[in-house]
């Protein structure tokens, strides 16, 4: 790397936002990401005010041989919103949201979280398919595909993406859409941060519930019932109306309201449901999921969609230790259920958990080659996370997640939802994209031939 003291000062003078380097107050706060297991020391963090700042940063870094990292919400599993000795392009100050209710569209700045989007769209009775935590960044979730509560009914987040403004590796700002830079648009819909810095997104919005009000919440069962619940769930879920979706988990019931005190700290199997159809039909549609088995708690209730999206945010604040392992699954086999039961009983900490998120219905009706996200045959995106606030627990949560994944992986589809990947190497990235990988590498060669954007689940340019 070249000497950077003078050039960094030069960059600071060019930005409308703020540049924070190691000598500046607030550096440790600026460099932190959601996963506290990641502790990297970038050269500087550029708190960008607009797309022009992003252009300045990209041009500066390429001119001076400095590694670029891009941070939106900072939730990335592997902590790839930062890097040692890198210039971090931090979009968190770019948070505008503009709703066109008549057109059912919303324009979203690249630094927004889904809480920002929901706050703007849900009052109009609309939502964009997103994820499961409202503190998640729009950029990272979208660029990886976007699996969430609305996937069964409206598809993935990328299936509602209408266009994007992107700063390319040479610092130019372009629009990507079905008719402009269409190859880039295809790649952005699941290909991660490999192709540029997305400074704004334009999404289609969808009417949900009764004016944005849905019926949602958890149904919890004793952990010993997990095998029966999983067998029932795997058969029921694909047959349910697409207005009703639910993800299944092995968890420890949080020791806090709204959970009843007598259940605090109890290991459980749970399904978190979301019904987005007409309220008049909610009781009939949700009856099968409320009445099965011997639930410890039936927590379904009417609420704004934004409330369901943010329900788990307080239990998973920024600054916890996280270790992630993930796979895609076309089925929940009996062999897999036995493994889930084994490791559910071994949950190492209160925050550690396993989730299976459905990717069927509308999400499965899109051709696998239509977007970069390849898993369109139905099934589930699975994730195992060891989580705890105490750094002293890092080794135990990591060992549990690794052992669990190693036993479960042979029952998987062989690849993973890229947003859940850790630092696992090229083979796992290739597996995550399957037959779409070769085309992604060609698009990479067209838009980023020098692999400027490589601090990500990297796809090197085709040669």
């Amino acid at each position: 790397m070249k000497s950077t003291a003078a050039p960094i000062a030069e960059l600071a003078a060019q930005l409308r936002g703020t540049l924070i380097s190691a000598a500046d107050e607030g550096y440790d706060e600026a460099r932190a990401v959601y996963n506290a297991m990641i502790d990297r020391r970038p050269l500087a963090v550029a708190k960008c005010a607009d797309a022009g700042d992003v252009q300045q940063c990209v041009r500066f870094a390429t001119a001076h041989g400095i590694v670029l990292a891009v941070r939106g919400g900072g939730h990335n599993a592997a902590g790839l919103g930062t890097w040692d000795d890198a210039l971090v392009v931090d979009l968190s100050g770019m948070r505008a949201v503009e709703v066109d209710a008549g057109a059912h569209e919303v324009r979203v700045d690249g630094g927004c979280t889904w809480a920002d989007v929901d706050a703007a769209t849900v009052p109009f009775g609309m939502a964009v398919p997103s994820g499961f935590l409202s503190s998640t960044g729009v950029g990272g979730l979208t660029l990886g595909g976007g699996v969430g509560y609305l996937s069964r009914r409206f598809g993935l987040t990328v299936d509602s993406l209408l266009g994007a403004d992107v700063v390319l590796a040479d610092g130019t700002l372009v629009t990507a859409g079905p008719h402009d830079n269409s190859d880039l648009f295809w790649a952005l819909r699941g290909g991660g941060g490999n192709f540029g810095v997305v400074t704004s997104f334009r999404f289609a919005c969808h009417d949900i519930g009764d004016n944005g009000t849905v019926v949602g919440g958890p149904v919890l069962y004793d952990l010993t019932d997990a095998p029966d619940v999983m067998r029932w769930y795997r058969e029921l879920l694909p047959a349910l109306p697409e207005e009703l979706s639910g993800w299944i988990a092995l968890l420890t019931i949080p020791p806090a309201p709204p959970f009843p005190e007598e259940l605090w700290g109890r290991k459980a199997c749970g399904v978190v449901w979301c019904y987005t159809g007409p309220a008049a039909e909610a009781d009939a549609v949700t009856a099968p999921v409320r009445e099965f088995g011997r639930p410890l708690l039936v927590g379904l209730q009417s609420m704004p969609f934004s409330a369901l999206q943010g329900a788990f945010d307080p239990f998973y604040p920024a600054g916890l230790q996280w270790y992630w392992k993930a796979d895609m699954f076309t089925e929940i086999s009996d062999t897999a259920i036995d493994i889930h039961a084994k490791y559910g009983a071994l949950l190492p900490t209160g925050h550690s958990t396993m989730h299976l998120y459905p990717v069927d219905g509308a999400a499965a009706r899109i051709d696998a080659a239509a977007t970069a996200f390849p898993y369109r045959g139905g099934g589930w995106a699975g994730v195992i996370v060891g989580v705890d606030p105490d750094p002293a627990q890092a080794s135990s949560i990591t060992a549990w997640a690794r052992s669990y994944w190693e036993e479960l992986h042979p029952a998987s589809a062989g690849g993973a939802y890229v947003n859940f990947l850790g630092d696992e190497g090229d083979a796992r990235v290739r597996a995550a994209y399957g037959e779409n990988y070769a085309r992604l590498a060609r698009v990479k060669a067209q838009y980023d031939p020098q692999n400027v954007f490589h601090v990500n689940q990297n796809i090197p340019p085709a040669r």
Side-chain angles (χ1 to χ4, degrees):
M1 185 180 296
K2 302 174 184 178
S3 173
T4 55
I8 281 291
E10 175 186 321
L11 176 62
Q14 296 170 349
L15 299 180
R16 293 184 65 237
T18 304
L19 190 72
I20 303 171
S21 60
D24 295 324
E25 184 177 353
Y27 172 76
D28 284 337
E29 179 182 357
R31 70 185 179 90
V33 290
Y34 184 77
N35 182 359
M37 201 177 283
I38 308 300
D39 184 23
R40 297 193 175 110
R41 300 189 65 84
L43 175 69
V45 178
K47 297 277 191 176
C48 295
D50 53 28
D53 278 359
V54 176
Q55 290 179 284
Q56 294 284 7
C57 289
V58 171
R59 289 167 179 158
F60 177 86
T62 55
H64 294 282
I66 298 170
V67 171
L68 270 173
V70 183
R71 174 179 172 173
H75 270 239
N76 182 267
L80 296 174
T82 186
W83 202 255
D84 288 331
D85 299 319
L87 174 61
V88 174
V89 178
D90 188 329
L91 306 178
S92 61
M94 299 168 58
R95 301 283 281 271
V97 180
E98 302 171 5
V99 178
D100 185 337
H104 275 62
E105 293 183 9
V106 61
R107 181 198 168 279
V108 180
D109 273 356
C112 288
T113 66
W114 286 105
D116 298 324
V117 180
D118 292 338
T121 61
V122 172
F124 289 102
M126 304 184 302
V128 177
S130 53
F132 302 98
L133 288 174
S134 69
S135 59
T136 304
V138 169
L141 183 101
T142 300
L143 295 176
V147 176
Y149 283 111
L150 304 182
S151 297
R152 298 193 74 233
R153 186 173 182 193
F154 299 117
L156 306 180
T157 306
V158 292
D159 300 330
S160 290
L161 184 63
L162 301 174
D165 293 330
V166 190
V167 175
L168 301 178
D170 63 0
T172 58
L173 178 65
V174 302
T175 295
H179 308 295
D180 301 293
N181 295 292
S182 57
D183 282 346
L184 175 62
F185 182 60
W186 175 86
L188 293 176
R189 288 177 290 162
N194 277 282
F195 308 96
V197 185
V198 180
T199 58
S200 71
F201 300 85
R202 187 166 58 90
F203 296 104
C205 299
H206 305 275
D207 294 325
I208 54 168
D210 284 8
N211 198 32
T213 297
V214 302
V215 174
V219 179
L220 302 178
Y221 304 85
D222 189 82
L223 188 64
T224 58
D225 290 335
D228 289 339
V229 174
M230 286 187 156
R231 283 190 285 268
W232 162 77
Y233 169 82
R234 73 183 179 190
E235 301 299 329
L236 177 71
L237 192 283
L240 288 174
E242 291 174 7
E243 292 82 3
L244 180 60
S245 185
W247 53 273
I248 192 166
L250 301 176
L251 71 153
T252 301
I253 299 173
F259 299 98
E261 191 169 352
E262 63 269 19
L263 297 181
W264 288 3
R266 185 166 174 172
K267 292 180 180 178
C269 175
V271 185
V272 181
W273 296 101
C274 176
Y275 169 72
T276 60
E281 301 174 15
D283 286 347
V285 175
T286 61
V289 307
R290 288 185 282 106
E291 297 170 358
F292 173 78
R294 300 169 295 173
L296 301 171
L297 172 71
V298 178
L300 274 71
Q301 56 187 293
S302 178
M303 66 184 79
F305 178 70
S306 51
L308 182 62
Q309 275 281 85
F312 294 96
D313 289 9
F315 301 110
Y316 289 95
L320 302 179
Q321 304 279 311
W322 287 77
Y323 185 81
W324 300 61
K325 294 294 289 185
D327 271 317
M328 296 294 297
F329 297 87
T330 55
E331 63 174 347
I332 303 173
S333 66
D334 288 343
T335 297
I337 289 171
D338 290 343
I339 296 166
H340 288 307
K342 172 183 175 180
Y343 283 92
L346 299 174
L347 285 163
T349 63
H351 287 85
S352 298
T353 185
M354 184 286 304
H355 296 170
L356 289 167
Y357 301 118
V359 188
D360 69 333
R365 289 195 292 274
I366 304 294
D367 188 91
T371 69
F373 184 92
Y375 294 101
R376 300 294 191 162
W380 289 266
V383 63
I384 299 162
V385 287
V387 192
D388 197 71
D390 186 357
Q393 294 282 4
S395 60
S396 64
I397 63 177
T398 299
W400 171 80
R402 284 178 174 170
S403 296
Y404 192 163
W405 181 85
E406 286 169 2
E407 283 199 44
L408 189 62
H409 180 64
S412 76
Y417 175 32
V418 72
N419 281 346
F420 292 160
L421 281 182
D423 184 8
E424 301 177 38
D426 179 69
R428 286 286 283 160
V429 176
R430 287 175 177 270
Y433 290 112
E435 293 185 3
N436 287 341
Y437 184 89
R439 182 178 175 185
L440 284 164
R442 293 194 298 272
V443 178
K444 178 76 168 182
Q446 180 181 356
Y447 287 93
D448 184 15
Q450 302 305 314
N451 205 9
V452 169
F453 300 109
H454 64 267
V455 180
N456 45 46
Q457 300 297 345
N458 193 235
I459 301 168
R463 300 298 183 190

